[in-house]
Each structure stands twice: as structure tokens, then as C-alpha cells.
Amino acid sequence: MFALIGFVMIGGFIVAVVGLIMLIVAAAKKHPKKKSVIILLVGLVLSIGAPVSAAVLGLQEPVDYTVTTKAEGKDFLDQLDSDTIKDQTLKFKVTDIGSNGPLIAFQAPGEFNVMVPASKASKAVKVGDTITVTCKSAGNVFGLPMVTGTLDE
């Protein structure tokens, strides 16, 4: 959805520039300016209206799984399948944080860990933050359920 809004905004900017050029040419040649003014206004409305409407509507990227309670975490674990979770998004509230060198483990409600690569963004996460992760794989390590993925910034 955000990609579509970005394309509309960029397209509107291009239309506005074309309308402005048409207006300048029409003024220089002393031709009617009505068509160029309309094109300029449509471009401005598209380039300004797209992000404003997205902000007003409060559009957010959709997520595939949301875990906010232990019960939801247990339901998520019951459905957990490494084949179906690949490239799915998981949104959860961090209950604990651990580190293992190049990986950071975030514990989610329902007592499972989500491992993500250590980065500036992942190191800034605190207990209680709600994060979104794009999942890569899932399974059990020493009997503990674990999901690996990347942190969506």
C-alpha cells in the first residue's frame, strides 16, 4: 500500500512539473493557459494528497501474525510451520531480550524466541516495545521454539 502511495506521489510531482512547463510555454507564446493550470493543479493534488490521505487514514503495513498475549503466542506456536512462515510478518511485544553475538533474541508472549541479526535498529529495541519481524524460518532448538527473521524498520 505504501508503494502505491509513493508511486502516486511521484507521478503527481511529475504531472505538476509538466503542467508548470506547459504554463510557462503558454505564457511566453501568449496562448490560453487553462489546460496547463488544470494539469498543474491535478499534479499538486496527487503529490500532496496521497501522503496526506495516508496519514489521515492511518494506514499501516498489514502483518500476517500478531502476538500480544500468552494465549496468542501459544496459538501461534501451534500453527508454526517453517514452510508456511517464510516471508510472513510477525508483530509482537518484546517480553525479554537476549544476545548471542551476531544475533539478538527477542522473547515474545507465549515463551518463544525470535532471532534477528544484530543491527543498530535491533539493539535499540527495549523490553515492552512492539516490533515487526519478517520471518525466514521456524523450528525447535533444544526443545525451545524459535523463529528467525529480520527486523522491519
Side-chain angles (χ1 to χ4, degrees):
M1 185 57 130
F2 285 115
L4 176 64
I5 291 170
F7 284 127
V8 170
M9 192 172 77
I10 292 169
F13 179 73
I14 292 170
V15 170
V17 169
V18 168
L20 182 63
I21 292 170
M22 287 175 61
L23 183 64
I24 293 169
V25 170
K29 292 187 175 185
K30 298 185 180 174
H31 289 289
K33 300 168 194 69
K34 184 177 180 181
K35 188 188 296 183
S36 57
V37 169
I38 291 172
I39 291 173
L40 176 63
L41 291 175
V42 167
L44 289 174
V45 167
L46 287 174
S47 63
I48 295 170
V52 169
S53 64
V56 169
L57 294 174
L59 294 177
Q60 297 178 351
E61 285 289 328
V63 294
D64 299 302
Y65 303 100
T66 302
V67 177
T68 55
T69 64
K70 286 184 181 182
E72 288 176 344
K74 295 200 184 300
D75 288 343
F76 174 75
L77 289 175
D78 291 341
Q79 306 173 30
L80 199 58
D81 181 3
S82 193
D83 294 331
T84 59
I85 199 168
K86 186 171 174 56
D87 296 326
Q88 300 288 309
T89 52
L90 168 65
K91 183 176 182 178
F92 65 96
K93 187 173 183 177
V94 177
T95 58
D96 196 14
I97 301 174
S99 180
N100 189 10
L103 295 174
I104 295 179
F106 297 114
Q107 190 172 53
E111 306 301 320
F112 67 94
N113 289 328
V114 179
M115 303 290 286
V116 300
S119 67
K120 190 174 186 178
S122 62
K123 290 178 182 179
V125 174
K126 297 176 184 68
V127 173
D129 288 351
T130 300
I131 61 173
T132 304
V133 174
T134 301
C135 303
K136 298 299 175 200
S137 66
N140 288 318
V141 177
F142 302 115
L144 299 172
M146 186 172 306
V147 176
T148 60
T150 56
L151 183 65
D152 292 354
E153 299 177 31

